[in-house]
Amino acid sequence: MAKRRPLSDKRRPIQRKVSTPIMPHAKPRLVVIDTDPGIDDAIGILLALVAPEFSIAGITTVAGNIGIGTTTRNAGRLLAFAGRDDIPVFTGAAVPLSRPGPEPLNLHGVDGIGGVPLPPPARGPEAAPAVEWLAELLLKEPAGTIDILALGPLTNLAQLVLDHPDAAQRVGRIIAMGGAIHERGNVGPRSEFNLWADPEAAATVVASGLPLVLVPLDVTRRVRASREFTETLSKSGKPAAAMVAHLIESYFEAATHQESRPLHDPCVMLYALAPELFRIEELRLSVDVGNAENAGALTVDANGFPVQVALGVDAPAVLDLLSRQLIAH
Ligand code: RIB
Ligand code: CA
């Protein structure tokens, strides 16, 4: 990934004075997590597993940070660690819609998960292909009752839109980590990895008209954990909190750095839990599907498609919420 420039958030961050309450009494929201775990994916998945606000119908995997076999295995490992092998895993796209897939990112280690001590999967992925299972689930459940938390390239979701439009229309919301608006890209001047990995898929999802909330680098680069943050998690005595501390520690820029790399994917779950901590704007977007350095880049233009985009975040508040959710359960 391109070297990151020092952060300078020129925009006024959202300031809130009170902590967002953890509301276990509300009816849990049925979600599907579409993911390429991936260290930051793993943190988001562990948050979704402990937070009572989510009921996870299943995990669909996609190639991205590393190959499909490893991302699928890592989803199973996280569920085994959490004692939740009741949640099914479905294997999704091994390659993008219509171009070669990305090389595995060293960032996440050879096992794709930073070498942290996760158990092997308690069971393998289901036989049904991810997109077929997702379409069946959407047709079975009442329309609008399922949110998709998208943490990787959007290939599976594009396939759903293209092959099962009747099912796709029944999605409640897609909340996706991806893109960069005012922020530099992380795989090119304006390209962010998830959209760059499969620009055609990103363009299909953006143009689909499905209710899409995009959480771009403009927000995720402001959400980084300190050494103090990971120490609090480690000392909590809670297994998920301690595992997240392990994952974050494997994700520090370097031993000398006092801040982790951005917690990109957990921002999707944090937005679902506390949207009031984010500043959302509706932008009309198009996706560059060329093959040059801006492949996957987003452009704001009047002829684009309306997308709800998170452009601001109260970073201390979302980190506090992440910590409290992990330590409370
Ligand atoms: O650009 C960040 C995104 O790319 C995150 O989802 C990370 O897991 C990688 O997939
Ligand atoms: Ca990811």
Side-chain angles (χ1 to χ4, degrees):
M1 289 193 179
K3 189 95 188 74
R4 287 188 177 78
R5 291 189 318 175
L7 288 177
S8 59
D9 186 350
K10 301 179 200 57
R11 287 168 298 289
R12 180 184 48 75
I14 303 156
Q15 291 301 344
R16 275 173 51 84
K17 295 289 166 276
V18 292
S19 295
T20 299
I22 297 175
M23 316 252 293
H25 313 301
K27 184 170 179 300
R29 182 75 175 163
L30 195 55
V31 298
V32 170
I33 299 174
D34 189 68
T35 178
D36 62 332
I39 294 172
D40 59 321
D41 303 66
I43 298 167
I45 292 167
L46 287 172
L47 170 58
L49 284 166
V50 301
E53 291 86 346
F54 296 114
S55 170
I56 303 173
I59 294 182
T60 52
T61 59
V62 63
N65 284 316
I66 199 158
I68 190 67
T70 306
T71 60
T72 304
R73 174 173 162 73
N74 286 338
R77 297 178 70 192
L78 287 159
L79 293 172
F81 166 78
R84 293 301 310 276
D85 53 309
D86 58 299
I87 296 174
V89 175
F90 297 87
T91 306
V95 292
L97 285 186
S98 57
R99 60 174 73 202
E103 289 303 313
L105 294 177
N106 297 331
L107 187 60
H108 298 268
V110 290
D111 65 357
I113 208 94
V116 302
L118 284 171
R123 67 181 201 180
E126 306 300 309
V131 174
E132 274 55 45
W133 168 78
L134 182 54
E136 253 180 62
L137 178 75
L138 288 162
L139 292 170
K140 185 177 70 176
E141 295 295 332
T145 58
I146 297 173
D147 286 348
I148 299 175
L149 308 182
L151 313 181
L154 295 173
T155 316
N156 293 334
L157 302 191
Q159 210 70 61
L160 177 75
V161 169
L162 295 169
D163 298 351
H164 306 276
D166 49 340
Q169 292 308 317
R170 298 169 66 87
V171 169
R173 273 181 315 181
I174 297 172
I175 309 174
M177 190 278 141
I181 304 296
H182 307 298
E183 190 77 16
R184 273 190 68 76
N186 57 8
V187 283
R190 294 177 48 229
S191 300
E192 174 279 328
F193 179 81
N194 285 340
L195 304 195
W196 167 84
D198 194 344
E200 285 77 10
T204 300
V205 173
V206 165
S208 69
L210 295 183
L212 174 62
V213 178
L214 210 51
V215 184
L217 294 176
D218 303 68
V219 155
T220 63
R221 277 203 174 123
R222 278 147 192 82
V223 183
R224 297 171 184 256
S226 64
R227 301 271 181 205
E228 185 192 351
F229 182 89
T230 53
E231 272 163 33
T232 303
L233 295 182
S234 301
K235 288 177 185 159
S236 69
K238 295 294 178 73
M243 180 52 73
V244 166
H246 254 303
L247 286 159
I248 293 176
E249 276 147 18
S250 77
Y251 198 49
F252 268 75
E253 297 270 10
T256 52
H257 280 233
Q258 290 312 306
E259 275 199 318
S260 73
R261 293 178 187 279
L263 303 185
H264 299 294
D265 293 336
C267 286
V268 167
M269 283 77 176
L270 289 164
Y271 173 78
L273 287 169
E276 70 280 3
L277 299 181
F278 296 77
R279 178 165 53 81
I280 296 288
E281 281 184 38
E282 180 169 293
L283 299 177
R284 287 193 163 273
L285 297 177
S286 57
V287 181
D288 183 323
V289 291
N291 292 304
E293 65 173 8
N294 283 333
L298 292 172
T299 300
V300 179
D301 75 59
N303 301 320
F305 298 89
V307 177
Q308 302 300 310
V309 183
L311 287 173
V313 64
D314 181 342
V318 295
L319 284 163
D320 174 58
L321 178 59
L322 173 61
S323 177
R324 287 188 297 112
Q325 282 280 5
L326 290 165
I327 292 173
H329 303 101

